[in-house]
Coordinates of all heavy atoms in Angstrom, one line a residue:
G65 N 39.5 17.9 19.9 CA 40.3 17.3 20.9 C 41.7 17.8 21.0 O 42.4 17.6 22.0
D66 N 42.2 18.4 19.8 CA 43.5 19.1 19.9 C 43.5 20.3 20.8 O 42.4 20.9 21.1 CB 43.9 19.5 18.5 CG 44.2 18.3 17.5 OD1 44.3 17.2 18.1 OD2 44.4 18.5 16.4
Q67 N 44.6 20.7 21.3 CA 44.7 21.7 22.3 C 44.2 23.1 21.8 O 43.5 23.8 22.5 CB 46.2 21.9 22.7 CG 46.4 23.0 23.8 CD 47.8 23.1 24.2 OE1 48.7 22.3 23.8 NE2 48.1 24.1 25.1
D68 N 44.4 23.4 20.5 CA 44.0 24.7 19.9 C 42.6 24.6 19.3 O 42.2 25.7 18.8 CB 45.0 25.1 18.9 CG 46.4 25.3 19.5 OD1 46.5 25.6 20.7 OD2 47.4 25.2 18.7
F69 N 41.9 23.5 19.3 CA 40.7 23.4 18.5 C 39.6 24.4 19.0 O 39.0 25.1 18.2 CB 40.2 21.9 18.6 CG 38.8 21.8 17.9 CD1 38.8 21.7 16.5 CD2 37.6 21.9 18.6 CE1 37.6 21.6 15.8 CE2 36.4 21.7 17.9 CZ 36.4 21.6 16.5
E70 N 39.4 24.4 20.3 CA 38.3 25.3 20.8 C 38.5 26.7 20.5 O 37.5 27.4 20.0 CB 38.1 25.1 22.3 CG 37.8 23.7 22.8 CD 36.4 23.2 22.4 OE1 35.6 24.1 22.2 OE2 36.2 22.0 22.3
A71 N 39.7 27.2 20.7 CA 40.0 28.6 20.4 C 39.8 28.9 18.9 O 39.3 30.0 18.5 CB 41.4 29.0 20.9
L72 N 40.3 28.0 18.1 CA 40.2 28.2 16.6 C 38.8 28.1 16.2 O 38.3 28.8 15.3 CB 41.1 27.1 15.9 CG 42.6 27.4 16.0 CD1 43.3 26.2 15.4 CD2 43.0 28.6 15.3
R73 N 38.0 27.2 16.7 CA 36.6 27.1 16.4 C 35.9 28.4 16.7 O 35.0 28.9 16.0 CB 35.9 25.9 17.1 CG 34.4 25.7 16.7 CD 33.8 24.7 17.6 NE 33.7 25.2 19.0 CZ 33.3 24.5 20.0 NH1 32.8 23.3 19.8 NH2 33.3 25.0 21.3
D74 N 36.1 29.0 17.9 CA 35.5 30.2 18.3 C 35.9 31.3 17.4 O 35.1 32.2 17.0 CB 35.9 30.6 19.8 CG 35.3 29.7 20.8 OD1 34.4 28.9 20.5 OD2 35.8 29.6 21.9
E75 N 37.1 31.4 17.0 CA 37.6 32.4 16.0 C 36.9 32.2 14.7 O 36.4 33.2 14.0 CB 39.1 32.3 15.8 CG 39.6 33.4 14.8 CD 41.1 33.3 14.5 OE1 41.8 32.6 15.3 OE2 41.5 33.9 13.5
F76 N 36.8 30.9 14.3 CA 36.1 30.7 13.0 C 34.7 31.1 13.0 O 34.2 31.8 12.1 CB 36.1 29.1 12.7 CG 35.3 28.7 11.5 CD1 35.9 28.6 10.3 CD2 34.0 28.4 11.6 CE1 35.2 28.2 9.2 CE2 33.2 28.0 10.5 CZ 33.8 27.9 9.3
L77 N 33.9 30.8 14.1 CA 32.5 31.2 14.2 C 32.3 32.7 14.3 O 31.4 33.2 13.7 CB 31.9 30.5 15.4 CG 31.8 28.9 15.3 CD1 31.2 28.4 16.6 CD2 30.9 28.5 14.2
A78 N 33.2 33.3 15.0 CA 33.1 34.8 15.1 C 33.3 35.5 13.8 O 32.6 36.4 13.4 CB 34.2 35.3 16.1
R79 N 34.2 35.0 13.0 CA 34.4 35.5 11.6 C 33.2 35.2 10.8 O 32.7 36.0 10.0 CB 35.6 34.9 11.0 CG 37.0 35.4 11.6 CD 38.1 34.7 11.0 NE 39.4 35.1 11.6 CZ 40.1 36.1 11.1 NH1 39.7 36.9 10.1 NH2 41.3 36.4 11.7
Y80 N 32.7 34.0 10.8 CA 31.6 33.5 10.0 C 30.3 34.3 10.3 O 29.6 34.7 9.4 CB 31.4 32.0 10.2 CG 30.2 31.5 9.4 CD1 30.1 31.6 8.0 CD2 29.1 30.9 10.0 CE1 29.1 31.1 7.3 CE2 28.0 30.4 9.3 CZ 28.0 30.5 7.9 OH 27.0 30.0 7.2
E81 N 30.0 34.6 11.6 CA 28.8 35.3 12.0 C 28.8 36.7 11.4 O 27.6 37.2 11.2 CB 28.8 35.5 13.5 CG 28.5 34.2 14.3 CD 28.4 34.4 15.8 OE1 28.7 35.5 16.2 OE2 28.1 33.4 16.5
K82 N 29.9 37.3 11.0 CA 30.0 38.6 10.4 C 29.6 38.7 9.0 O 29.3 39.7 8.4 CB 31.3 39.2 10.7 CG 31.7 39.5 12.1 CD 33.1 40.0 12.2 CE 33.4 40.2 13.7 NZ 34.8 40.7 13.9
A83 N 29.6 37.5 8.3 CA 29.4 37.5 6.9 C 28.8 36.1 6.4 O 29.4 35.4 5.7 CB 30.6 37.8 6.1
M84 N 27.6 35.8 6.9 CA 27.0 34.5 6.7 C 26.4 34.4 5.3 O 26.2 33.3 4.8 CB 26.1 34.1 7.7 CG 26.7 33.6 9.0 SD 25.6 32.8 10.1 CE 24.7 34.2 10.8
V85 N 25.9 35.5 4.8 CA 25.0 35.5 3.6 C 25.5 36.5 2.6 O 24.8 37.3 2.1 CB 23.5 35.7 3.9 CG1 22.7 35.1 2.7 CG2 23.1 35.0 5.2
V86 N 26.8 36.3 2.2 CA 27.4 37.2 1.2 C 27.2 36.5 -0.2 O 26.7 37.1 -1.1 CB 28.9 37.4 1.5 CG1 29.5 38.3 0.3 CG2 29.1 38.1 2.8
H87 N 27.6 35.2 -0.3 CA 27.5 34.5 -1.5 C 26.5 33.3 -1.4 O 26.2 32.7 -2.4 CB 28.9 33.9 -1.9 CG 29.9 34.9 -2.1 ND1 29.9 35.7 -3.2 CD2 31.0 35.3 -1.3 CE1 31.0 36.5 -3.1 NE2 31.6 36.3 -2.0
T88 N 26.0 33.1 -0.2 CA 25.1 31.9 0.1 C 23.7 32.2 -0.6 O 23.2 33.2 -0.5 CB 24.9 31.7 1.6 OG1 26.1 31.3 2.2 CG2 23.9 30.7 1.9
G89 N 23.3 31.1 -1.3 CA 22.0 31.1 -1.9 C 21.5 29.8 -2.2 O 22.2 28.8 -2.0
L90 N 20.2 29.7 -2.7 CA 19.7 28.4 -3.1 C 20.5 27.8 -4.2 O 21.1 28.5 -5.1 CB 18.3 28.5 -3.5 CG 17.1 28.9 -2.5 CD1 15.9 29.2 -3.2 CD2 17.0 27.8 -1.5
F91 N 20.6 26.5 -4.2 CA 21.2 25.8 -5.3 C 20.4 26.1 -6.6 O 19.2 26.2 -6.5 CB 21.3 24.3 -5.0 CG 22.5 23.8 -4.3 CD1 22.4 23.6 -2.9 CD2 23.7 23.7 -4.9 CE1 23.5 23.1 -2.3 CE2 24.8 23.3 -4.2 CZ 24.7 23.0 -2.9
P92 N 21.1 26.1 -7.7 CA 20.3 26.4 -9.0 C 19.3 25.3 -9.1 O 19.5 24.1 -8.9 CB 21.4 26.2 -10.0 CG 22.7 26.6 -9.4 CD 22.5 26.1 -7.9
G93 N 18.0 25.7 -9.4 CA 16.9 24.8 -9.6 C 16.1 24.6 -8.3 O 15.0 24.1 -8.4
M94 N 16.7 24.9 -7.1 CA 16.0 24.6 -5.9 C 14.8 25.5 -5.7 O 13.8 25.0 -5.1 CB 17.0 24.7 -4.7 CG 16.4 24.3 -3.3 SD 15.8 22.6 -3.4 CE 17.3 21.7 -3.4
A95 N 14.8 26.7 -6.2 CA 13.6 27.6 -6.1 C 12.4 26.9 -6.8 O 11.3 26.9 -6.3 CB 13.9 28.9 -6.7
Q96 N 12.7 26.2 -7.9 CA 11.6 25.6 -8.6 C 11.1 24.3 -7.9 O 9.9 24.0 -7.8 CB 12.0 25.1 -10.0 CG 12.3 26.3 -11.0 CD 13.7 26.8 -10.9 OE1 14.4 26.7 -10.0 NE2 14.2 27.1 -12.1
V97 N 12.0 23.7 -7.2 CA 11.6 22.5 -6.4 C 10.7 23.0 -5.3 O 9.6 22.4 -5.0 CB 12.9 21.9 -5.8 CG1 12.5 20.8 -4.7 CG2 13.7 21.2 -6.9
L98 N 11.1 24.1 -4.6 CA 10.2 24.6 -3.5 C 8.9 25.0 -4.0 O 7.8 24.8 -3.3 CB 10.9 25.7 -2.7 CG 12.3 25.3 -2.1 CD1 12.8 26.5 -1.4 CD2 12.1 24.1 -1.1
E99 N 8.9 25.7 -5.1 CA 7.6 26.1 -5.8 C 6.7 24.9 -6.1 O 5.5 24.9 -5.9 CB 7.8 26.9 -7.0 CG 8.4 28.3 -6.7 CD 8.9 29.0 -8.0 OE1 8.7 28.4 -9.1 OE2 9.4 30.1 -7.9
H100 N 7.3 23.8 -6.5 CA 6.6 22.6 -6.8 C 6.0 22.0 -5.6 O 4.8 21.5 -5.6 CB 7.6 21.6 -7.5 CG 6.9 20.2 -7.8 ND1 5.9 20.1 -8.6 CD2 7.3 19.0 -7.3 CE1 5.5 18.8 -8.7 NE2 6.4 18.1 -7.9
L101 N 6.8 21.9 -4.5 CA 6.3 21.5 -3.2 C 5.0 22.3 -2.8 O 4.0 21.7 -2.4 CB 7.3 21.5 -2.2 CG 8.5 20.6 -2.4 CD1 9.5 20.8 -1.2 CD2 8.1 19.1 -2.5
D102 N 5.2 23.6 -2.9 CA 4.1 24.4 -2.5 C 2.8 24.2 -3.3 O 1.7 24.1 -2.8 CB 4.5 26.0 -2.6 CG 5.5 26.3 -1.5 OD1 5.6 25.7 -0.5 OD2 6.2 27.4 -1.8
A103 N 3.1 24.1 -4.6 CA 1.9 23.9 -5.5 C 1.3 22.6 -5.3 O 0.1 22.4 -5.5 CB 2.4 23.9 -7.0
Q104 N 2.0 21.6 -4.8 CA 1.4 20.2 -4.5 C 0.8 20.2 -3.1 O 0.2 19.1 -2.8 CB 2.5 19.1 -4.7 CG 3.0 19.0 -6.1 CD 1.9 18.5 -7.0 OE1 1.1 17.7 -6.8 NE2 1.9 19.1 -8.2
G105 N 0.8 21.2 -2.4 CA 0.3 21.3 -1.0 C 1.1 20.5 -0.1 O 0.6 20.1 1.0
L106 N 2.4 20.3 -0.4 CA 3.3 19.6 0.5 C 4.1 20.6 1.4 O 4.5 21.6 0.9 CB 4.3 18.8 -0.3 CG 3.7 17.7 -1.1 CD1 4.8 17.1 -2.0 CD2 3.1 16.6 -0.2

Side-chain angles (χ1 to χ4, degrees):
D66 291 350
Q67 182 176 355
D68 297 333
F69 177 80
E70 298 293 335
L72 289 171
R73 183 191 62 184
D74 290 345
E75 179 183 347
F76 174 93
L77 293 176
R79 290 176 180 273
Y80 178 59
E81 286 180 0
K82 295 177 181 178
M84 282 194 285
V85 201
V86 178
H87 302 285
T88 294
L90 291 173
F91 274 100
M94 187 55 74
Q96 292 94 323
V97 171
L98 299 181
E99 289 171 2
H100 176 61
L101 295 178
D102 291 339
Q104 295 296 318
L106 298 171

